[in-house]
Amino acid sequence: MDALAHIDAYWRAANYLSVGQIYLLDNPLLEEPLRPEHIKPRLLGHWGTTPGLNFCFAHLNRIIRERGQDMIYIAGPGHGGPAAVAHAWLEGSYTHRYPDVGQDAEGMRRLFRQFSFPGGIPSHVAPEVPGSIHEGGELGYSLAHAYGAAFDNPGLAVACVIGDGEAETGPLAAGWHSNKFLDRGRDGAVLPILHLNGYKIANPTVLARIPEEELVKLIEGYGYRPHIVSGDDPAVMHGLMAETLDTVFDEIAEFRDGRAERLPMIVLRTPKGWTGPREVDGLPVEGTWRAHQVPLSEVRQNAEHRAMLEEWMRSYRPEELFDAQGRPVAEILRTVPEGPRRMSANPHANGGELLKPLVLPDFRDHAVEVKSPAAQPSEPTKVLGRLLRDVIAANPENFRLMGPDETASNRLSAVFEATDRAWDAEILPTDENLGPGGRVMEVLSEHLCQGWLEGYLLTGRHGLFNCYEAFIHIVDAMFNQHAKWLESSHKITWRRPVASLNYLLSSHVWRQDHNGFSHQDPGFIDVVMNKKASVVRIYLPPDANTLLSVADHCLRSRDYVNLVVAGKQPVLDLFPMEEAIAHCTRGLGILEWASTDAGVEPDVVLACAGDVPTLETLAAAALLREHLPELRVRVVNVVDLMRLQPPSEHPHGMSDAEFDTLFTADRPIIFNFHGYPWSIHRLTYRRHGHHNIHVRGYKEEGTTTTPFDMVMLNDIDRFHLVMDVIDRVPGLAARAAHLRQHMSDERLRARAHTREYGEDPAEIRDWSWPY
Amino acid sequence: MDALAHIDAYWRAANYLSVGQIYLLDNPLLEEPLRPEHIKPRLLGHWGTTPGLNFCFAHLNRIIRERGQDMIYIAGPGHGGPAAVAHAWLEGSYTHRYPDVGQDAEGMRRLFRQFSFPGGIPSHVAPEVPGSIHEGGELGYSLAHAYGAAFDNPGLAVACVIGDGEAETGPLAAGWHSNKFLDRGRDGAVLPILHLNGYKIANPTVLARIPEEELVKLIEGYGYRPHIVSGDDPAVMHGLMAETLDTVFDEIAEFRDGRAERLPMIVLRTPKGWTGPREVDGLPVEGTWRAHQVPLSEVRQNAEHRAMLEEWMRSYRPEELFDAQGRPVAEILRTVPEGPRRMSANPHANGGELLKPLVLPDFRDHAVEVKSPAAQPSEPTKVLGRLLRDVIAANPENFRLMGPDETASNRLSAVFEATDRAWDAEILPTDENLGPGGRVMEVLSEHLCQGWLEGYLLTGRHGLFNCYEAFIHIVDAMFNQHAKWLESSHKITWRRPVASLNYLLSSHVWRQDHNGFSHQDPGFIDVVMNKKASVVRIYLPPDANTLLSVADHCLRSRDYVNLVVAGKQPVLDLFPMEEAIAHCTRGLGILEWASTDAGVEPDVVLACAGDVPTLETLAAAALLREHLPELRVRVVNVVDLMRLQPPSEHPHGMSDAEFDTLFTADRPIIFNFHGYPWSIHRLTYRRHGHHNIHVRGYKEEGTTTTPFDMVMLNDIDRFHLVMDVIDRVPGLAARAAHLRQHMSDERLRARAHTREYGEDPAEIRDWSWPY
């Protein structure tokens, strides 16, 4: 069949270009015999997976052309970077994005040279590669990314190659079940291609070594219709793959219009390093783990290896693939889809090109009324839930809310007035808020929540991930990879900005008194702070209105990771809406109504960040006002944590002059912080007043107990803060010794009450503070 | 059947005790009608999963008694804490561990009151519970823990209840395939019991809502023989479960002696909150998500709810279960196994009781010879591999080496001279170092590596987890949970110390130049530092001999998490063995041969931690010696990072006096650090000389490039360090302006060379330094 011959030519071209990238500095068309100086001094790259990736890509292009299918390609074995680059070059989109790498011999030379070369491009599929939304670094997330891309894209097919190494990871194993959350009407299709080439780095893979019967059951158990394409003879395999893809896309069509219950998938079994050297130095290479990276490792030094490389490259018959100018021949270009149908140029893979801003209702409409500060409580996330409900209603196909079954627990239930939880498995009469079109996605896998959201955002949509604070650490590594993706993307001019990844961490450390020690961990803040300042933002709104303002800001932002930590339990309302906006815009500020310094230099600064620390700080300020009315106390609340850094370190950082104005350069500062105390030191160590800062925070003390006992266990409670003030304001220790003892007694009294009655004393529960 | 009646009585007793823990302060035997003051003011706990956990436990006890089976119990739905506590109390082991909680009415009152009560015990299964090795906080790790416990315990069966919520997580989904690494001869058996009660928190679960046929295929695809026990009529279910367990343990015996290929597992389908209130306030509860936590929430205030609670508790017929003194009746005690066969008293679940110290060969035997420091290179992990080989040989059933297929990549291959990789799936003739008894466990899932190792350690064995540095973040959350387990265990006198969890992070940030940006992340250090000082230790040995010394120390230690970061690439040997030991014992020290301060006050201190930063620091010191011979430079290397903290913060912390002696209180300190620079500030912000410390480290700059380009991108290179010295030593700027320019030129030259030739300049690659 002529079409298959053209596919084979395309495949050989892609393989040739892949090998060239790994090995060659020059002589790209092999116009002369290979000499040492044509070879890179350091050989970096992964050949093993590459021919399989090329094979899939070549065959999918036929489907795109014949069926007009909109499709993107996710390379789970993303270390096969040469494959993705080769396709983009063959399709012309590489030259479009990087005009200095032309689609000719000189362009090919540059393409080869730059790969894995200093000043060039990474060895893995990375943001630099046109057509990719999936970094080829850490393994496990391809399938979740694929489903995230498919959600709300009914015309799209997402082909997702899954390496059999990656298939051993937890996130990937969980990802198969994403099909229970995919709606045939509303969403696109995902085509998983499980590529069994038998080995990970130095080991066989589990799925390649279980009986095929067991593998088929596993896949059927995951809810897919498996199709197996297995072999090593290219001629036979081309026919098999083409036939299978025709079947598979028929089945996808059947699924979409309701004639089939299950989506298909493909098991592709080919040798690792297929079409590469069979044997090197007497050891088998093709089909073994030795093909994982660079099959011929001594090409520059070893003439025999060099001859083998040349023979290998010539085995693809480059003279049939490229014309004298190094351009791909017409037979190859004919297999390439057109314009945005090329997978390397599909706008879904550069989501910013498709990004529609959210239609955002006025968050002020959801403001809680605050006649006087700290007079009544609200539940911040409950208030936010109403805004999110309206966001969902106004953006029916452009926004999703992810969470590991904690949306209700995090008190965002108002969203269910506007939508359901996405659910395409069985629904029982007693179920509530479940439905195939739901905008809320709940699965007990933080990995899937994160992966789906990343895929959704990178294809140009918007979302928010709500999670228990302690368990967001489950996706630390995924956050790192996404932040790195954004960091890299910032340097790539053709990558258009995408919506920020928004985290709402509720059920936070201070309100996990009921779940105990295992649920108490505010350390994600530190993980986020380790990434580039150009990418990360951290907000700790202390009440409902500031949370609304912060949320609105985050939903409008682009290309960041926004971390918002806000409680679901009642906290006092501090700011009327307009003041909340001003406070959030400044990022921090003096709470004048809680301060007694009358605008002059205070004796002590009580700083706070986080809702519960702010409550305790305000209570401490009230105690000081009552008991030491002559003491000039300034209360400073910090919403935008990055304001504490110097401007040289973070774009939100404030100047030393501003810092000194707010915090003073020489007065004691008692800083009550939501997270680990050293995080504040890390942010402020360069400030003039740093040696005066005493930070209270979570110091890894906790168990199942009461809310106030939790703050006491970590010394961030009001009484201890007063004691800290007495200890640190010069001259106060003697004068206020009695008060200090009284505070200490109050702590003991509260603890005894708690131990006796199992709940906090009424006066602490009832918010009865003198404001 | 009489036995089943007794099991039912035991089950009812466990359910009664579970409900009592959630609700009651007093009146444990319902000797009078429930009054408000008998009820806890805050109702905390999870009922939904509890009756199922009790059901399994009750039935497994029969197997233990009848077959003399050694067994432990892992409660994946560990938030069902009341169940585990109830069993320990019924079996008498609770009273054994906590004599104030007697096995009588007063003891029962205390048992109830303390649960989820301030000053009492956590609401989840926690270290406080006898018989547990599995914290019931974060979900996903039960099956990995179970397999870890079973490895090298041929007589043991590990019953592992998996909640259907947990089953949605990635780590659990990956965990099923652990059976490919379990050897029938050498290891024990794992019995997974997938408990489908239909709901997670507020949502149905995936596995409960897929067709049963699909579920069966999934499980068979995972390589198990499924047995389904489904229903809600206790009488029927007792018979079914007993029959199934007999079959299952016959099948386990068949598997063990080779007559069966696959291990069995059980699917238990029962209503959520089974035997609890059917309906509350007109809404269905039993069998729905409303049964997840506390089915009756207003018991203190609402007389109707209180009456329902009483009716519910009386439905278990407590008068048949406990005698007048509150002791379990003989029929119940008869179902309980004896002594260490009780799952709540099995020593495997208090692994320290079984801990055998490792037989440790003398690490000095593996020392590399160092005639003069910094004269020749070694590959530290390669040297360590030889020690680990001998550790494995000397401890054939007591030590395992885990890694995500990176043991060879991390250059620990010497271990394969003594053992194989564990592998119980198909083996091909071309495979190397694969075998069923292997001590090296490689699966491309950091979650499984970590989970297996935790289970192995907590049952009293030893091990080490080697991993790429960037990807260890995948298990941040698991590390947190394990560290918290150890933190809590330290306070529990009957928990005997277990072997430390040892991480070896190789392929670290500075040597991932070839894999690129996604592989560069030294932030695990920060995650570890957030945990209690009593639990964590961090070591950065700069050469092969210090790595040997550190490894020996870690393998001997107990109850810690030891984080060791050491490269696999060649670094210069700095310390002869005896000096290496002394240096590691001190934790840090002056490298006199590299210093030019002649023991008097230096002009500048060059501090370093980590192998690559140390190399660059030494090279900088050499440059300074050459170009500014009169400058008094002191080089300080830090191996034990926690030495930098004040002694009040960490037991390894050094005094201010010691710090000042080493680092001075007033001279510039250029600190070249392996990780993020602010980590050093966080450790030292209280030190006198802190304002003089200038830290260089990884600042999130990287791509695929050369090793030296990586250090230049982050300004930790030798040339930049010299520039830093010139900038910071008073008076040097003018005098050394020419040198500064020269250094800057050298950087440009190195970069240009790299960009031109694709490798670092020879003089940098060849270690040609003047020592």
Side-chain angles (χ1 to χ4, degrees):
Chain A
M1 187 161 104
D2 206 34
L4 291 188
H6 294 165
I7 290 175
D8 183 64
Y10 180 99
W11 182 48
R12 285 184 283 124
N15 286 341
Y16 181 88
L17 293 168
S18 300
V19 182
Q21 288 176 76
I22 295 173
Y23 285 98
L24 296 193
L25 275 180
D26 207 343
N27 189 19
L29 288 166
L30 298 179
E31 292 171 312
E32 51 176 322
L34 278 179
R35 285 182 280 120
E37 59 269 33
H38 298 150
I39 310 296
K40 296 183 181 184
R42 291 182 86 205
L43 298 175
L44 303 177
H46 292 77
W47 165 248
T49 185
T50 296
L53 288 172
N54 289 339
F55 186 76
C56 296
F57 200 100
H59 279 268
L60 290 166
N61 268 348
R62 182 182 64 86
I63 296 290
I64 292 172
R65 289 181 60 93
E66 290 186 2
R67 302 187 181 220
Q69 177 68 52
D70 197 8
M71 195 180 327
I72 62 171
Y73 188 75
I74 291 184
H79 44 285
V85 172
H87 295 290
W89 190 82
L90 283 171
E91 297 195 326
S93 46
Y94 206 91
T95 301
H96 173 67
R97 297 301 190 188
Y98 304 98
D100 57 317
V101 182
Q103 215 182 17
D104 53 23
E106 171 59 13
M108 196 190 293
R109 189 190 68 81
R110 291 183 182 204
L111 190 81
F112 288 1
R113 181 187 171 88
Q114 68 171 11
F115 175 80
S116 266
F117 202 82
I121 62 168
S123 61
H124 297 185
V125 183
E128 285 83 351
V129 183
S132 175
I133 60 162
H134 178 78
E135 166 72 45
E138 196 169 279
L139 296 174
Y141 317 129
S142 63
L143 200 47
H145 286 166
Y147 274 93
F151 294 142
D152 296 320
N153 269 328
L156 188 69
V158 185
C160 179
V161 181
I162 300 158
D164 47 355
E166 180 178 22
E168 293 181 10
T169 68
L172 198 290
W176 293 106
H177 289 296
S178 304
N179 51 5
K180 281 80 187 177
F181 301 84
L182 180 120
D183 182 55
R184 66 182 76 209
R186 194 140 182 176
D187 301 326
V190 171
L191 173 61
I193 303 174
L194 177 63
H195 185 205
L196 300 182
N197 68 25
Y199 300 88
K200 28 203 198 241
I201 302 181
N203 262 311
T205 56
V206 168
L207 294 189
R209 295 287 175 94
I210 62 176
E212 193 156 285
E213 180 197 7
E214 212 164 281
L215 179 66
V216 166
K217 281 184 177 169
L218 182 67
I219 291 162
E220 291 177 349
Y222 283 137
Y224 298 82
R225 299 162 77 176
H227 299 265
I228 295 178
V229 178
S230 177
D232 59 4
D233 179 342
V236 177
M237 288 293 281
H238 283 309
L240 259 177
M241 186 68 171
E243 199 181 310
T244 302
L245 278 176
D246 279 330
T247 308
V248 152
F249 276 85
D250 289 347
E251 288 181 0
I252 288 175
E254 288 166 18
F255 173 81
R256 285 196 49 78
D257 63 20
R259 285 175 291 144
E261 279 302 303
R262 300 279 178 267
L263 277 168
M265 63 79 68
I266 293 173
V267 177
L268 174 66
R269 208 187 275 270
T270 62
K272 187 148 189 162
W274 193 18
T275 71
R278 291 255 164 119
E279 209 180 281
V280 179
D281 301 334
L283 293 170
V285 172
E286 190 195 24
T288 79
W289 75 92
R290 293 189 191 89
H292 181 63
Q293 295 194 16
V294 178
L296 297 159
S297 53
E298 313 258 293
V299 185
R300 211 177 196 193
Q301 308 84 335
N302 179 326
E304 193 190 335
H305 279 201
R306 203 158 55 246
M308 288 174 74
L309 171 63
E310 188 167 330
E311 183 191 2
W312 172 18
M313 293 191 73
R314 291 201 191 278
S315 76
Y316 299 121
R317 308 195 296 280
E319 64 285 2
E320 298 176 10
L321 309 174
F322 308 101
D323 65 19
Q325 283 71 48
R327 293 179 45 78
V329 298
E331 288 78 1
I332 287 176
L333 291 175
R334 205 174 294 143
T335 69
V336 170
E338 282 175 17
R341 280 289 185 265
R342 293 170 297 171
M343 291 192 283
S344 63
N346 192 304
H348 291 290
N350 184 14
E353 291 185 352
L354 301 175
L355 187 74
K356 285 182 289 190
L358 283 176
V359 177
L360 281 175
D362 192 338
F363 66 96
R364 295 173 191 80
D365 297 345
H366 298 280
V368 296
E369 196 185 359
V370 182
K371 287 188 179 154
S372 68
Q376 96 258 338
S378 295
E379 292 155 82
T381 55
K382 194 167 177 180
V383 174
L384 177 67
R386 296 179 205 130
L387 174 63
L388 292 176
R389 174 195 61 202
D390 294 356
V391 171
I392 286 170
N395 300 275
E397 287 160 5
N398 201 18
F399 180 86
R400 296 215 181 201
L401 178 64
M402 311 284 176
D405 195 12
E406 291 161 4
T407 305
S409 170
N410 286 331
R411 306 209 180 160
L412 300 171
S413 298
V415 297
F416 297 120
E417 296 165 19
T419 190
D420 288 327
R421 298 172 172 103
W423 188 258
D424 288 73
E426 188 190 9
I427 297 181
L428 301 180
T430 49
D431 288 333
E432 289 180 358
N433 309 127
L434 288 188
R439 308 278 85 202
V440 178
M441 309 207 60
E442 298 201 318
V443 62
L444 214 163
S445 165
E446 286 79 359
H447 292 114
L448 285 187
C449 292
Q450 172 87 16
W452 289 344
L453 183 55
E454 289 177 0
Y456 198 68
L457 298 176
L458 290 172
T459 48
R461 284 78 61 77
H462 306 258
L464 185 145
F465 179 6
N466 81 94
C467 189
Y468 278 29
E469 186 182 37
F471 301 152
I472 196 69
H473 275 299
I474 291 171
V475 297
D476 277 4
M478 295 182 78
F479 154 78
N480 281 336
Q481 295 297 322
H482 187 71
K484 281 176 178 280
W485 178 279
L486 294 176
E487 290 174 31
S488 296
S489 295
H490 286 182
K491 298 174 193 160
I492 302 167
T493 51
W494 59 265
R495 283 241 172 235
R496 303 283 296 278
V498 295
S500 300
L501 197 163
N502 301 306
Y503 291 105
L504 172 67
L505 303 190
S506 197
S507 306
H508 62 53
V509 55
W510 301 111
R511 290 296 184 260
Q512 285 293 318
D513 44 279
H514 58 302
N515 273 320
F517 194 43
S518 65
H519 285 53
Q520 297 159 1
D521 193 308
F524 191 63
I525 291 172
D526 301 279
V527 173
V528 170
M529 280 202 277
N530 274 345
K531 289 289 159 282
K532 276 271 188 207
S534 56
V535 168
V536 297
R537 304 288 182 267
I538 303 173
Y539 301 99
L540 297 144
D543 73 351
N545 284 342
T546 48
L547 175 59
L548 286 173
S549 173
V550 162
D552 179 75
H553 177 77
C554 293
L555 292 174
R556 291 175 193 278
S557 76
R558 299 286 179 267
D559 266 359
Y560 297 149
V561 174
N562 295 308
L563 174 60
V564 182
V565 186
K568 63 185 184 184
Q569 301 287 349
V571 289
L572 292 172
D573 297 323
L574 306 180
F575 298 95
M577 195 69 238
E578 291 309 317
E579 286 181 33
I581 296 168
H583 187 60
C584 292
T585 306
R586 280 191 301 265
L588 78 178
I590 298 171
L591 305 188
E592 285 174 11
W593 49 268
S595 302
T596 53
D597 62 336
V600 298
E601 278 284 275
D603 298 314
V604 64
V605 176
L606 296 184
C608 50
D611 53 7
V612 169
T614 298
L615 278 185
E616 292 303 316
T617 296
L618 290 170
L623 286 165
L624 288 168
R625 173 185 296 199
E626 179 189 345
H627 294 286
L628 292 172
E630 73 289 0
L631 193 73
R632 288 169 304 172
V633 176
R634 176 181 294 172
V635 178
V636 176
N637 176 264
V638 180
V639 177
D640 175 352
L641 203 60
M642 297 297 99
R643 293 283 283 150
L644 295 177
Q645 286 205 314
S648 58
E649 296 291 316
H650 195 283
H652 287 196
M654 64 182 152
S655 68
D656 278 342
E658 285 177 280
F659 189 93
D660 292 348
T661 304
L662 276 173
F663 291 98
T664 80
D666 56 358
R667 302 305 158 93
I669 303 164
I670 313 293
F671 200 123
N672 213 20
F673 181 52
H674 174 86
Y676 292 104
W678 34 84
S679 312
I680 296 298
H681 289 294
R682 159 182 166 171
L683 294 170
T684 60
Y685 65 84
R686 293 191 186 175
R687 300 296 187 180
H688 298 135
H690 177 257
H691 54 285
N692 299 314
I693 301 183
H694 186 71
V695 187
R696 293 287 173 195
Y698 184 66
K699 50 182 191 178
E700 205 62 18
E701 291 287 346
T703 179
T704 308
T705 186
T706 66
F708 195 68
D709 201 38
M710 269 303 296
V711 299
M712 281 199 294
L713 281 170
N714 292 281
D715 298 338
I716 77 156
D717 61 284
R718 57 199 68 179
F719 304 127
H720 209 286
L721 295 177
V722 171
M723 291 160 66
D724 286 337
V725 169
I726 294 170
D727 292 346
R728 276 170 183 79
V729 173
L732 209 54
R735 188 150 58 91
H738 181 261
L739 176 61
R740 197 185 189 291
Q741 186 59 49
H742 175 50
M743 294 292 101
S744 178
D745 292 345
E746 287 289 305
R747 282 166 61 84
L748 293 175
R749 201 168 65 85
R751 174 149 301 159
H753 179 99
T754 305
R755 296 281 182 284
E756 175 76 17
Y757 299 103
E759 61 184 359
D760 290 325
E763 69 274 17
I764 284 166
R765 273 185 286 125
D766 296 349
W767 321 97
S768 52
W769 302 340
Y771 289 110
Chain B
M1 186 161 102
D2 207 33
L4 291 188
H6 293 166
I7 290 175
D8 183 65
Y10 180 99
W11 184 47
R12 286 185 282 122
N15 285 342
Y16 181 89
L17 293 168
S18 300
V19 182
Q21 288 176 77
I22 294 174
Y23 284 100
L24 297 191
L25 276 179
D26 206 344
N27 190 18
L29 287 167
L30 298 179
E31 290 170 314
E32 52 177 322
L34 278 179
R35 285 182 280 120
E37 59 268 33
H38 298 149
I39 309 296
K40 296 183 179 183
R42 291 182 87 206
L43 298 175
L44 303 177
H46 291 77
W47 166 247
T49 186
T50 298
L53 288 173
N54 288 339
F55 185 76
C56 296
F57 200 101
H59 279 269
L60 289 167
N61 268 347
R62 182 182 64 86
I63 297 290
I64 294 172
R65 290 182 59 94
E66 289 185 3
R67 302 186 182 222
Q69 176 68 53
D70 197 8
M71 196 179 326
I72 63 171
Y73 188 76
I74 291 185
H79 44 285
V85 172
H87 296 289
W89 189 82
L90 283 171
E91 296 194 329
S93 46
Y94 206 92
T95 300
H96 173 66
R97 296 303 191 188
Y98 304 99
D100 57 317
V101 182
Q103 213 182 18
D104 54 23
E106 171 59 13
M108 197 191 292
R109 189 189 68 82
R110 293 182 182 204
L111 189 82
F112 288 1
R113 181 188 171 87
Q114 69 171 12
F115 175 79
S116 265
F117 202 82
I121 63 167
S123 60
H124 297 185
V125 183
E128 285 84 349
V129 183
S132 175
I133 60 161
H134 179 77
E135 167 72 45
E138 195 169 279
L139 296 174
Y141 318 128
S142 62
L143 201 46
H145 285 166
Y147 275 93
F151 294 142
D152 296 319
N153 268 328
L156 187 67
V158 185
C160 178
V161 182
I162 300 158
D164 46 354
E166 180 179 21
E168 292 181 10
T169 67
L172 199 288
W176 293 105
H177 289 295
S178 304
N179 52 6
K180 281 80 186 177
F181 301 85
L182 180 121
D183 181 55
R184 66 184 74 210
R186 194 138 180 177
D187 301 325
V190 171
L191 174 62
I193 303 174
L194 177 63
H195 184 205
L196 300 182
N197 66 26
Y199 300 89
K200 27 203 198 242
I201 301 181
N203 262 312
T205 55
V206 167
L207 295 189
R209 293 286 176 94
I210 62 175
E212 192 154 287
E213 179 197 7
E214 213 165 281
L215 179 67
V216 166
K217 281 183 177 168
L218 183 65
I219 291 162
E220 290 177 351
Y222 284 137
Y224 298 83
R225 300 162 76 175
H227 299 265
I228 295 178
V229 179
S230 177
D232 60 4
D233 179 342
V236 177
M237 288 292 282
H238 282 310
L240 261 176
M241 187 68 170
E243 200 180 309
T244 304
L245 278 177
D246 280 329
T247 308
V248 153
F249 276 85
D250 288 348
E251 288 181 1
I252 288 176
E254 288 166 18
F255 172 81
R256 285 196 50 76
D257 61 20
R259 285 174 293 144
E261 279 302 303
R262 300 281 177 265
L263 275 168
M265 63 80 68
I266 294 173
V267 177
L268 175 66
R269 209 188 273 270
T270 63
K272 187 146 188 165
W274 193 18
T275 72
R278 290 255 164 120
E279 207 179 281
V280 178
D281 301 333
L283 293 169
V285 173
E286 189 194 24
T288 80
W289 75 91
R290 293 189 191 87
H292 181 64
Q293 294 194 14
V294 177
L296 297 158
S297 54
E298 313 258 291
V299 185
R300 210 176 198 191
Q301 308 86 332
N302 180 327
E304 195 191 334
H305 279 200
R306 203 159 54 247
M308 289 173 74
L309 171 62
E310 188 167 331
E311 185 191 0
W312 173 17
M313 293 190 72
R314 290 200 191 280
S315 77
Y316 299 121
R317 308 195 296 280
E319 64 283 2
E320 297 176 10
L321 309 174
F322 308 103
D323 66 18
Q325 284 71 50
R327 295 178 43 79
V329 297
E331 287 79 1
I332 286 175
L333 292 176
R334 207 172 295 143
T335 70
V336 170
E338 282 175 17
R341 279 289 185 265
R342 294 169 298 171
M343 290 192 283
S344 63
N346 191 304
H348 291 290
N350 184 15
E353 290 185 352
L354 301 176
L355 186 75
K356 284 183 289 188
L358 283 176
V359 178
L360 282 175
D362 193 337
F363 64 97
R364 294 173 191 81
D365 295 346
H366 298 280
V368 296
E369 195 184 0
V370 182
K371 286 189 179 152
S372 68
Q376 96 259 337
S378 295
E379 294 155 81
T381 55
K382 194 166 178 180
V383 174
L384 177 67
R386 296 176 205 132
L387 173 63
L388 292 176
R389 172 196 63 203
D390 294 356
V391 170
I392 286 170
N395 300 274
E397 286 160 6
N398 200 18
F399 180 87
R400 295 214 182 204
L401 178 65
M402 311 285 177
D405 194 13
E406 292 161 3
T407 305
S409 169
N410 287 330
R411 307 205 180 164
L412 301 170
S413 299
V415 298
F416 297 121
E417 296 165 18
T419 189
D420 288 327
R421 300 173 171 102
W423 188 258
D424 288 72
E426 187 191 8
I427 298 181
L428 301 181
T430 49
D431 289 331
E432 289 181 357
N433 309 127
L434 289 187
R439 308 278 84 202
V440 178
M441 308 207 61
E442 299 201 318
V443 62
L444 213 163
S445 165
E446 286 79 358
H447 292 113
L448 286 187
C449 292
Q450 172 87 16
W452 289 344
L453 183 55
E454 289 177 1
Y456 197 69
L457 297 176
L458 290 171
T459 47
R461 283 78 60 80
H462 306 258
L464 185 146
F465 179 5
N466 80 94
C467 189
Y468 277 30
E469 186 182 36
F471 301 151
I472 195 70
H473 276 298
I474 291 171
V475 297
D476 278 4
M478 296 182 77
F479 155 78
N480 280 337
Q481 296 296 324
H482 187 73
K484 281 176 179 280
W485 178 280
L486 294 176
E487 291 174 31
S488 296
S489 295
H490 286 181
K491 299 173 190 158
I492 302 167
T493 51
W494 59 265
R495 282 241 172 236
R496 302 283 296 277
V498 295
S500 299
L501 197 163
N502 301 307
Y503 292 103
L504 172 67
L505 303 190
S506 196
S507 305
H508 61 54
V509 56
W510 300 112
R511 290 297 184 257
Q512 285 293 316
D513 45 279
H514 59 302
N515 274 318
F517 194 42
S518 64
H519 285 52
Q520 297 160 0
D521 193 309
F524 191 63
I525 290 172
D526 302 279
V527 173
V528 170
M529 279 203 276
N530 275 344
K531 290 289 158 282
K532 276 271 189 209
S534 55
V535 168
V536 296
R537 303 288 182 269
I538 302 172
Y539 301 98
L540 296 143
D543 74 351
N545 284 342
T546 48
L547 176 58
L548 286 173
S549 173
V550 163
D552 178 76
H553 177 76
C554 293
L555 292 174
R556 291 174 194 278
S557 76
R558 299 286 180 266
D559 267 359
Y560 297 148
V561 173
N562 294 309
L563 173 60
V564 182
V565 186
K568 64 186 183 183
Q569 301 288 349
V571 288
L572 292 172
D573 297 324
L574 306 180
F575 299 94
M577 196 69 239
E578 291 308 316
E579 285 180 32
I581 296 169
H583 187 60
C584 294
T585 306
R586 281 190 302 264
L588 80 178
I590 298 171
L591 304 190
E592 284 173 14
W593 49 268
S595 305
T596 52
D597 63 334
V600 298
E601 278 284 277
D603 298 313
V604 63
V605 176
L606 296 184
C608 50
D611 53 7
V612 169
T614 299
L615 278 187
E616 292 304 316
T617 297
L618 290 171
L623 286 165
L624 288 168
R625 172 185 298 198
E626 179 188 347
H627 295 284
L628 292 171
E630 73 289 3
L631 192 73
R632 286 167 305 171
V633 176
R634 175 182 295 173
V635 178
V636 176
N637 175 264
V638 181
V639 177
D640 175 353
L641 204 59
M642 297 296 101
R643 291 284 283 151
L644 294 177
Q645 287 205 312
S648 58
E649 297 292 317
H650 196 284
H652 288 195
M654 64 182 153
S655 68
D656 279 340
E658 284 177 280
F659 189 92
D660 293 348
T661 304
L662 276 173
F663 290 98
T664 79
D666 55 359
R667 301 304 158 93
I669 304 163
I670 313 292
F671 200 123
N672 213 20
F673 181 51
H674 174 86
Y676 293 105
W678 34 84
S679 312
I680 296 298
H681 289 294
R682 159 182 167 171
L683 293 171
T684 59
Y685 66 84
R686 294 191 186 175
R687 300 296 187 179
H688 298 133
H690 177 257
H691 54 286
N692 299 316
I693 302 183
H694 185 70
V695 187
R696 293 286 172 196
Y698 184 65
K699 48 182 191 177
E700 206 61 19
E701 291 287 345
T703 180
T704 308
T705 187
T706 65
F708 195 68
D709 201 38
M710 270 301 297
V711 300
M712 281 199 294
L713 282 169
N714 292 281
D715 297 339
I716 77 158
D717 61 283
R718 56 197 71 178
F719 303 127
H720 210 287
L721 294 177
V722 172
M723 290 159 67
D724 286 336
V725 169
I726 294 169
D727 292 345
R728 276 169 181 80
V729 173
L732 210 53
R735 187 151 57 92
H738 181 262
L739 176 61
R740 197 183 188 290
Q741 186 58 50
H742 175 50
M743 293 293 101
S744 179
D745 293 344
E746 287 288 304
R747 282 166 60 83
L748 293 174
R749 202 168 64 85
R751 174 148 301 158
H753 180 99
T754 305
R755 295 282 181 284
E756 175 77 16
Y757 300 102
E759 61 184 359
D760 290 325
E763 68 274 20
I764 284 164
R765 274 185 285 126
D766 294 350
W767 321 98
S768 52
W769 302 340
Y771 289 109

